[in-house]
Amino acid sequence: MENDPVNVNEFQELARQALPKMYYDYISGGAEDQFTLKENMEAFQRIMLRPRVLVDVSKIDMSTTLLGYNMSSPIMVAPTGAQKLAHPDGELATAKAAAACNTIMVLSFASSYTIEEVASTCNAVRFFQLYVYKRRDVSAKLVQQAESNGFRAIVVTVDTPRLGRREADIKNNLIIPKMKNLEGLLSLDVNVKGGSNLEAFASETLDPSLSWKDIGWLKSITNLPILMKGILTAEDAMKAVEAGVSGIVVSNHGARQLDYAPATISVLEEVVKAVSGAVPVLLDGGVRRGTDVFKALALGAKAVMIGRPVVYGLAAKGEYGARRVIEMLQNELELTMALAGCPSIKDITRSHVCTKQDMLRSLM
């Protein structure tokens, strides 16, 4: 298309221009001072690449697998809710874009469209993201619906005993559309006197008593593999492995929960070392360039998830925009691999990056 954006940041600017301020702030914003929001991206910029030369890179193979499922590249679509705020086709368009790029989409429980509607868009591998509610029967029903509609894994979010303080949403008196997957399961009417209705809904439904024992309950109600999203420390990573999960997503919820939590890329290696290959580790948060993907892979990630960038593409240009964002990052990763001397994903190693800690150690 004429005047297409040439990078993800340009898609973000188009999204800002296209959306009402309330919706753009909801999609782009973080918690409190938004320190972690900025740090998620800036931490990538402190990692340098160490390219190898005179390597045959005439053919670049970005393909990989996750839980036995093939992907054209290690770039997945993260769960982001209420995508109809960005575009009328919402998650239906995103599902088609992910399938066209031969990658895995993780559908948010807060999708603007039902599990069944998204499943019927096209044949593709999809995972389902879950919150565990005070009413366990609601969570169980969602798991059953996902399983019966061909979703291949459950991604349970574990960093939200309460909703983070998202001040832009409070100031904007954010009104989130009703969550179609929860209709008939939970009361979606909340009384709000100013502030965000999402915050009010979360306080009524999320379970602050959720603990490690509940992972056992979740495993007991499904045959699907379970990935745990929201891990930021070695200690919790080891507990997750002990709990029997099939994968870990290093995530700070897009910096929307606990401000001043670390950038995900800065703790990725700690988590990877803690699990010692027992389960795949994914990275979520701050990815805006193919070089970011490369850095995450070099530090041990099996794949990365992208959330906001896809929604920016969706807001700017619908399904085409969402697909272009994924393709753009895939193309940037392919170029980075060629310039770094890595013809395949397995050729990307820890020696291809230099972190701030590496630099400090070299001075000692």
Side-chain angles (χ1 to χ4, degrees):
M1 279 191 181
E2 189 179 350
N3 298 323
D4 248 9
V6 297
N7 58 50
V8 166
N9 290 333
E10 291 186 1
F11 268 111
Q12 180 173 354
E13 177 56 24
L14 288 181
R16 187 189 66 78
Q17 295 171 13
L19 295 174
K21 182 178 185 299
M22 177 190 293
Y23 295 164
Y24 177 76
D25 287 352
Y26 166 70
I27 294 165
S28 65
E32 296 184 354
D33 298 329
Q34 301 191 124
F35 172 84
T36 299
L37 182 68
K38 295 186 283 284
E39 183 68 4
N40 264 356
M41 291 178 282
E42 290 175 2
F44 275 105
Q45 297 173 1
R46 294 192 291 271
I47 300 172
M48 296 295 105
L49 300 179
R50 302 181 69 246
R52 305 295 192 277
V53 298
L54 297 178
V55 177
D56 181 359
V57 290
S58 56
K59 293 181 180 178
I60 299 294
D61 181 7
M62 295 188 295
S63 64
T64 190
T65 62
L66 178 65
L67 303 182
Y69 300 110
N70 296 324
M71 296 190 291
S72 62
S73 79
I75 301 170
M76 301 169 58
V77 177
T80 51
Q83 290 185 20
K84 223 173 182 179
L85 296 181
H87 188 275
D89 294 338
E91 290 82 0
L92 303 182
T94 301
K96 292 175 184 175
C101 295
N102 190 24
T103 194
I104 296 172
M105 173 188 179
V106 184
L107 180 69
S108 168
F109 84 97
S111 168
S112 305
Y113 289 92
T114 65
I115 291 170
E116 293 82 0
E117 287 171 328
V118 174
S120 67
T121 57
C122 54
N123 185 29
V125 175
R126 281 180 282 268
F127 297 171
F128 181 72
Q129 178 258 340
L130 177 78
Y131 281 120
V132 179
Y133 298 102
K134 292 175 183 175
R135 282 185 52 191
R136 294 291 192 270
D137 63 307
V138 172
S139 298
K141 181 68 173 176
L142 292 174
V143 169
Q144 291 161 9
Q145 288 177 354
E147 194 163 355
S148 64
N149 280 278
F151 285 70
R152 307 296 177 85
I154 300 298
V155 180
V156 59
T157 295
V158 294
D159 58 6
T160 313
R162 294 171 58 177
L163 198 71
R165 184 174 173 81
R166 305 165 191 180
E167 294 177 357
D169 295 345
I170 296 169
K171 287 195 290 187
N172 289 332
N173 295 318
L174 174 71
I175 302 297
I176 286 287
K178 290 184 178 180
M179 302 172 190
K180 290 191 70 176
N181 284 315
L182 298 178
E183 287 182 353
L185 298 177
L186 281 174
S187 172
L188 303 177
D189 297 315
V190 292
N191 296 317
V192 184
K193 296 179 180 178
S196 161
N197 79 329
L198 178 63
E199 187 175 41
F201 175 78
S203 67
E204 289 187 12
T205 59
L206 296 179
D207 187 357
S209 74
L210 185 69
S211 63
W212 287 101
K213 63 179 173 56
D214 295 301
I215 303 304
W217 167 80
L218 182 57
K219 288 184 66 181
S220 75
I221 64 167
T222 182
N223 293 318
L224 295 178
I226 295 167
L227 291 84
M228 189 175 289
K229 180 174 180 285
I231 300 295
L232 290 171
T233 65
E235 295 91 334
D236 280 347
M238 289 186 283
K239 282 189 173 183
V241 172
E242 291 169 4
V245 302
S246 298
I248 287 172
V249 184
V250 176
S251 174
N252 53 34
H253 211 111
R256 295 160 78 84
Q257 281 298 102
L258 178 64
D259 201 17
Y260 296 93
T264 49
I265 191 65
S266 69
V267 295
L268 171 61
E269 191 168 26
E270 171 187 334
V271 171
V272 168
K273 287 180 177 178
V275 304
S276 300
V279 297
V281 177
L282 314 182
L283 177 118
D284 168 61
V287 173
R288 297 295 184 274
R289 284 285 189 184
T291 49
D292 297 337
V293 181
F294 184 95
K295 291 170 185 178
L297 298 177
L299 291 171
K302 180 69 171 175
V304 303
M305 289 184 175
I306 52 170
R308 286 186 181 93
V310 172
V311 180
Y312 293 146
L314 181 68
K317 293 178 180 286
E319 179 188 335
Y320 171 81
R323 177 168 55 82
R324 280 299 300 136
V325 164
I326 300 169
E327 290 172 342
M328 187 177 287
L329 291 171
Q330 288 178 333
N331 292 339
E332 289 182 6
L333 173 61
E334 183 180 32
L335 178 60
T336 302
M337 290 171 63
L339 295 177
C342 297
S344 71
I345 295 297
K346 65 180 174 55
D347 294 311
I348 303 173
T349 67
R350 179 62 175 82
S351 66
H352 283 97
V353 293
C354 180
T355 67
K356 190 176 180 180
Q357 289 76 16
D358 294 336
M359 297 175 199
L360 291 173
R361 278 193 293 268
S362 71
L363 297 174
M364 291 178 180

